[in-house]
Amino acid sequence: MAPPAAMFNESAVDSVPLKSTFDVKTFPIQNGKAKTLEELADKWDHGFKFAPIRESQVSRAMTRRYFKDLDTYAESDIVIVGAGSCGLSTAYQLGKARPDLKIAIIEASVSPGGGAWLGGQLFSAMVMRKPADAFLTDLGVPFEDEGDFVVVKHAALFTSTLLSKVLSFPNIKLFNATAVEDLITRPSGPDGQVRIAGVVTNWTLVTMHHDDQSCMDPNTINAPLVISTTGHDGPFGAFSVKRLVSMQQIEKLGGMRGLDMNTAEDAIVIRTREVVPGLIVGGMELSEVDGANRMGPTFGAMALSGVKAAEEALKVFEE
Ligand code: 48N
């Protein structure tokens, strides 16, 4: 009895192109022709069936694309570390301004968005102080105007809209569930100064187990510019600025200060900048390096810090 594998004509499957000739518009359902969801209605019990597939086609559809993306973005123009509200706002601005740049976003969590899926204390609404409403208008997110500030009825409406716009840019690739474990450096000065030249990555689940598994080396992405928006301190937070200290590129961290909305939001936006050559820092990660106050549940500074970080990045590519 031949083993099952030999019985299956593998080449027959390979000969089927990934995009088969199946066309949902002409696929007959009991002689009907389903063209729209409406036409599928009430067909469920009358011969409904999906187009044919072999499991290996699903596997190849996923892996071919993922590894092609890894190959494409191994050399990126910009890497954004952290897909929170600041990192995504940065990506949105860059995606609009420079469709020619290859931009990789590295996000440690399976679910991008960072702390922007809810407002404060797990409440739904998201507050942004003016003039950040300009970002919402550009993005097409509706809000209620309360005078000096605006309110998006659910933070997830902001974050999901922003995320979907970022993911729609053909020159931007999100690698989520992937952590930046280190920074690529190049000598840039007499006393050990370096410029940042990319990131060192690993799948987050691997990163979380370096202490109990040995020799799980990372991957890399080369890029002349890295924009780090990894949030304020926490298990993964403030990653790049902490690494700058351990690499002795900056002396110490200022440490995020107490909550003061008026002071915090102005400082974060105004001071979004290139902290060391090749590394721009924005969002709450900046509060850790500068010792800025925290602002709590108001998100305008995250959006506009992203806008500023994108502008700083564009200067690098205009030079
Ligand atoms: O949302 P966060 O944490 O960071 P920001 O700066 O985009 O937004 C901060 C904002 O949510 C606040 O904290 C608000 C305004 N509250 C302020 C306050 O006073 O409390 O997003 C950072 C993202 C997260 O998704 C992390 O998973 C990710 O960065 N991340 C990383 N991704 C890849 N590699 C890493 N090493 C890494 N570290 C963090």
Side-chain angles (χ1 to χ4, degrees), residues 177-198:
T178 304
V180 165
E181 291 192 332
D182 206 343
L183 299 169
I184 296 176
T185 61
R186 293 289 185 271
S188 78
D191 305 327
Q193 285 106 337
V194 299
R195 67 168 295 103
I196 304 304

Side-chain angles (χ1 to χ4, degrees), residues 121-278:
Q121 194 160 317
L122 305 186
F123 305 141
S124 312
M126 174 185 263
V127 172
M128 283 199 186
R129 293 159 62 201
K130 291 179 178 176
D133 54 310
F135 188 81
L136 296 173
T137 301
D138 186 288
L139 195 56
V141 172
F143 53 79
E144 295 149 38
D145 194 323
E146 298 273 2
D148 288 337
F149 64 92
V150 299
V151 184
V152 179
K153 68 178 181 179
H154 199 301
L157 176 60
F158 166 74
T159 303
S160 58
T161 305
L162 179 56
L163 186 56
S164 67
K165 294 279 178 82
V166 166
L167 294 177
S168 66
F169 288 119
N171 61 313
I172 296 181
K173 169 68 186 179
L174 168 68
F175 292 98
N176 46 326
T178 304
V180 165
E181 291 192 332
D182 206 343
L183 299 169
I184 296 176
T185 61
R186 293 289 185 271
S188 78
D191 305 327
Q193 285 106 337
V194 299
R195 67 168 295 103
I196 304 304
V199 294
V200 176
T201 63
N202 224 321
W203 282 321
T204 304
L205 292 178
V206 170
T207 298
M208 293 166 72
H209 288 281
H210 282 311
D211 294 343
D212 54 40
Q213 296 284 335
S214 65
C215 304
M216 295 192 293
D217 273 3
N219 191 16
T220 59
I221 296 181
N222 285 99
L225 185 63
V226 174
I227 302 173
S228 194
T229 57
T230 60
H232 53 64
D233 199 7
F236 273 107
F239 175 80
S240 298
V241 293
K242 287 180 196 168
R243 188 63 178 113
L244 290 182
V245 172
S246 63
M247 289 196 288
Q248 293 152 12
Q249 296 304 306
I250 57 177
E251 194 186 332
K252 62 183 175 56
L253 294 183
M256 181 177 73
R257 303 286 160 82
L259 195 148
D260 174 347
M261 287 185 180
N262 289 292
T263 306
E265 292 215 282
D266 296 344
I268 292 287
V269 175
I270 292 165
R271 295 182 60 81
T272 295
R273 67 190 186 281
E274 189 173 38
V275 171
V276 296

Side-chain angles (χ1 to χ4, degrees), residues 82 84-86 107-108 114-115 180 229-232 236 284 294-296 302:
S85 46
C86 184
E107 166 53 51
V180 165
T229 57
T230 60
H232 53 64
F236 273 107
M284 285 308 286
R294 61 185 302 187
M295 69 293 287
M302 298 304 105

